[in-house]
Amino acid sequence: MENLKQIRELMIRNSLDGLAIVPGPNMAYLTGSKFHLSERPVIFFILQNEATFILPELESPKILDLDVNFITYDDKEGPKPAFEKFAKTNSIAKMGIESRIIRHLELDLMNSTAITSDVVDASNIFAKLRMSKNRNEIERMIKAVKIAETSLESVLGNIRPGLTEKQFAADLVIELLRNGSDSELPFSPIVASGINAANPHHFPSNKEFQYGELVIIDWGANFEGYFSDITRTFALGSKIDDELLRAYEAVKQANESARSKAKIGVQAGIIDVAARSVIDELGFGKYFTHRTGHGLGLEIHEEPYIKPDNDFILEKGMTFTIEPGIYIPNLGGIRIEDDIYLEDSGATSLTTLSRDLITL
Ligand code: CO
Ligand code: CO
């Protein structure tokens, strides 16, 4: 585990005596193995002088290649004796935890066995580690984008009046898996047509597509744990409401303006302003109801967040989405979302699909 040294330095800087990591993106990042959060707790403690896994016996083969200590338990005895054993030689004054993932189950086991009584959120340490991607991670994200794009292109022709949003979502999911996405998709595709597209997080429904509608499709693939997250908006037939056509151009320009501002050394909030000011000027400001983008990688939403007033300075290797949208109640909506990667030479869009309004 090459990152341990870096983590231990970050722990010192944050006055943490230990870290408790549970199954999720950080554990996957550190160990390269996948665990699920289940009723059988798995926890990875990192201290300055050692690193120990507590895990069910049946999961132990996953960590045999790692140079770490481990304590296993079986279903008969349950996890508590393993925590007690760890507590005998370790008492951690201040433990960093992943506040959005760890559960009462693990916190209670740590507390009741006196491993620690003082926990603080350490999400920032992991964000710092994971935000800038190396070449190997970028290659996997590029693959995740390719799988997503190829899959959409091969089923897009299925959209026609009479087909439902849910039926199309099913076609897309099957195609993603066929084209090599890991079976655990980053999220269930959003397929939102007509007035449903006015809801940015619509769930595909039994509504049938109709001519004259815009259709938002927001989907992604997972390649070896790394995600893509893309949105394109299509027109079904040529008779589209004028206001929606104007809104489409505004979103397209906003996406372009935001991408042109993205580079190393820029504050994340500046990219948000670039998108938002275009939409404001074209009169649709009140319909752009979310941030411009979010970091992307092992998680679908991670740091850095491309949101108003974020003065976080973007660095080399960071990956995030740019996804302005306009959502007009009872009429429809538009979103154009790209996956961006920051290199010395500037911002590269990993997404390659056309951003022009394509008529189906
Ligand atoms: Co998306
Ligand atoms: Co997104």
Side-chain angles (χ1 to χ4, degrees), residues 218 229 231 337:
D218 186 345
D229 176 14
T231 308
E337 175 177 31

Side-chain angles (χ1 to χ4, degrees), residues 40-92:
R40 297 182 179 113
V42 174
I43 197 157
F44 182 31
F45 291 115
I46 300 178
L47 282 58
Q48 284 301 335
N49 55 355
E50 70 142 323
T52 299
F53 254 94
I54 293 180
L55 76 174
E57 179 68 50
L58 75 151
E59 300 270 32
S60 61
K62 289 184 189 170
I63 58 155
L64 290 181
D65 291 342
L66 302 174
D67 183 22
V68 294
N69 305 323
F70 58 93
I71 307 170
T72 61
Y73 61 86
D74 61 29
D75 287 339
K76 190 161 163 261
E77 61 184 349
K80 191 142 187 190
F83 280 77
E84 280 164 348
K85 191 171 171 197
F86 183 71
K88 264 189 204 145
T89 45
N90 296 286
S91 163
I92 292 108

Side-chain angles (χ1 to χ4, degrees), residues 105-335:
L105 173 66
E106 291 87 6
L107 291 172
D108 187 49
L109 281 162
M110 290 198 293
N111 198 18
S112 65
T113 56
I115 289 172
T116 188
S117 56
D118 188 9
V119 296
V120 291
D121 184 28
S123 302
N124 62 324
I125 288 187
F126 298 106
K128 188 135 189 73
L129 275 176
R130 284 174 31 205
M131 251 189 289
S132 286
K133 274 72 176 173
N134 62 31
R135 196 62 222 170
N136 190 280
E137 294 177 285
I138 292 298
E139 292 299 338
R140 286 185 266 180
M141 290 183 69
I142 290 172
K143 192 82 205 282
V145 168
K146 272 221 167 77
I147 292 169
E149 292 189 334
T150 310
S151 302
L152 183 77
E153 280 172 330
S154 64
V155 293
L156 195 55
N158 297 2
I159 294 185
R160 59 178 188 279
L163 191 79
T164 70
E165 294 172 346
K166 229 191 240 185
Q167 285 166 337
F168 180 73
D171 293 348
L172 183 53
V173 167
I174 290 167
E175 202 59 23
L176 285 164
L177 301 187
R178 280 207 176 113
N179 285 317
S181 173
D182 291 4
S183 57
E184 214 165 328
L185 294 178
F187 57 98
S188 296
I190 293 171
V191 179
S193 61
I195 59 169
N196 289 345
N199 171 8
H201 279 165
H202 174 70
F203 291 94
S205 71
N206 292 323
K207 177 190 164 300
E208 296 177 357
F209 299 113
Q210 287 170 27
Y211 282 122
E213 291 180 334
L214 292 185
V215 182
I216 292 180
I217 301 168
D218 186 345
W219 78 111
N222 172 353
F223 185 72
E224 294 178 354
Y226 285 81
F227 297 160
S228 54
D229 176 14
I230 311 172
T231 308
R232 287 294 183 268
T233 303
F234 300 92
L236 190 46
S238 52
K239 288 200 181 103
I240 304 295
D241 181 278
D242 275 346
E243 195 181 7
L244 285 177
L245 290 176
R246 283 198 306 277
Y248 189 96
E249 284 312 307
V251 171
K252 191 177 138 190
Q253 276 182 41
N255 172 296
E256 197 177 313
S257 167
R259 280 186 291 114
S260 75
K261 284 285 183 302
K263 51 171 156 304
I264 295 167
V266 163
Q267 292 183 0
I270 299 291
I271 300 174
D272 186 84
V273 169
R276 207 164 297 279
S277 58
V278 169
I279 290 177
D280 279 345
E281 270 163 37
L282 293 170
F284 294 101
K286 68 172 171 178
Y287 301 125
F288 179 15
T289 47
H290 54 70
R291 63 191 173 209
T292 294
H294 54 82
L296 180 70
L298 283 168
E299 272 179 293
I300 189 65
H301 292 161
E302 58 181 48
E303 297 205 50
Y305 290 99
I306 312 301
K307 61 181 181 183
D309 302 326
N310 188 358
D311 60 5
F312 178 82
I313 308 272
L314 298 170
E315 292 168 27
K316 184 176 174 171
M318 291 189 175
T319 48
F320 51 87
T321 67
I322 286 181
E323 50 177 307
I326 292 176
Y327 312 93
I328 309 176
N330 299 313
L331 186 63
I334 297 107
R335 180 164 64 253

